[in-house]
Amino acid sequence: MSETAGGTLSVEQAVEADQAVGADQAVGADQAVAVEADSCAVGWRGTSGPALLVLEDGSAFEGRSFGAAVPALGECVFQTGMVGYPQSLTDPSYRGQLLVLSYPQVGNYGVPRRGPAATSAAHAPAALSAHFESDRVQAAALVVGEYSEHFSHWEAACSLGHWLREEGIPAICGVDTRALVKRLREHGSMLAKLVVHGQPSQRLSRPLPADWSVLREEAEAVPFEDPNERPLAAEVSTCAPRRFGLEGAPRTVLALDFGIKHAQVRHLLAASARLPAEHQFSLLVVPHNYDVLGAAA
């Protein structure tokens, strides 16, 4: 006999109770396995074929592609911010670089729509995107640990992967970014190359089998490229003068564009707005090779 809070149970009743508890535990375990499997599948949604990141010291990192199906060459650097990947990717200072984000999950708030936000200050020029630092993605590629194809934000217009494919920028997820950042921190920035295989798929529920030997052969056939040997200033500079601020301002501030950020333009115009009317200025952003002395004459 078994003692319970309500009395005693016969042997048969106790056995039946034990079997019911065991069945409930089995169902719970099956559900836990199903949830775990589904969460693994979600982690690969929005990805396509295998991708391989190779550093100049010979180390390689395997993952999945979720951007454009094109290779990328450049310098591998890392950034430790928790948010702000639209700003980082469009930052001209990352031109020609493969950007590693150390935060474990990226993409969960999507990408904002282009153009000024409804909450932009009055001094912010309408010609500048409110959530980006330039008019296009400047980084050569993106490297993340976990990519979220599903996003949620009231200003989001598309997923991060969709935006990168539109811009022709490759990206890799599933990388051990902790090990990668540690290597870059200890040895400094290194040249790198990213090779990808396959076309993007929005409905992929599990990773495709990867033939890493083929990808490694493809990577070996592609030489490293140092972006610092290119005229980066010319690549990020405006092609023609652009004026921002109030029309008819009594003063003009000239800015040579060697990669000026939208935030810098906004901060300068905000500073002008705080000045007395007779000292306010407009901002003239000119190409990096602009003839300042000739224009003054």
Side-chain angles (χ1 to χ4, degrees), residues 2 7 16 26 37 48 58 104 122 128 144 179 195 206 212 221 240 247 249 254 265 271 294:
S2 300
E16 290 178 357
S48 61
L128 298 181
V144 303
V195 292
R206 65 184 62 185
W212 298 111
E247 294 184 5
L254 186 72
V265 174

Side-chain angles (χ1 to χ4, degrees), residues 53 55 61 100 143 175-184:
L53 175 68
L55 304 182
F61 297 83
V100 181
V143 182
V175 173
D176 185 354
T177 51
R178 290 180 299 178
L180 177 55
V181 167
K182 183 178 179 181
R183 180 175 292 273
L184 294 175

Side-chain angles (χ1 to χ4, degrees), residues 104-131:
Q105 186 181 66
V106 177
N108 55 321
Y109 60 86
V111 176
R113 50 183 170 270
R114 269 113 305 165
T119 57
S120 294
H123 58 263
L128 298 181
S129 299
H131 303 288

Side-chain angles (χ1 to χ4, degrees), residues 254-258 284 286-297:
L254 186 72
L256 287 173
D257 185 5
F258 287 89
L284 181 62
V286 298
H288 73 288
N289 56 356
Y290 186 76
D291 186 3
V292 178
L293 296 179

Side-chain angles (χ1 to χ4, degrees), residues 181-235:
V181 167
K182 183 178 179 181
R183 180 175 292 273
L184 294 175
R185 187 177 63 241
E186 292 177 349
H187 302 284
S189 300
M190 286 185 273
L191 298 182
K193 47 190 173 183
L194 174 63
V195 292
V196 300
H197 176 74
Q199 296 298 321
S201 171
Q202 297 291 341
R203 289 295 182 179
L204 189 64
S205 62
R206 65 184 62 185
L208 296 173
D211 189 347
W212 298 111
S213 61
V214 173
L215 270 182
R216 290 179 185 276
E217 291 177 2
E218 293 179 2
E220 291 176 359
V222 179
F224 290 102
E225 180 181 292
D226 187 353
N228 297 306
E229 296 178 356
R230 305 196 325 245
L232 296 178
E235 293 182 17

Side-chain angles (χ1 to χ4, degrees), residues 6 38-39 86 114 121 133 155 217 220 277:
D38 184 64
S39 64
R114 269 113 305 165
E133 295 298 352
E155 285 189 298
E217 291 177 2
E220 291 176 359

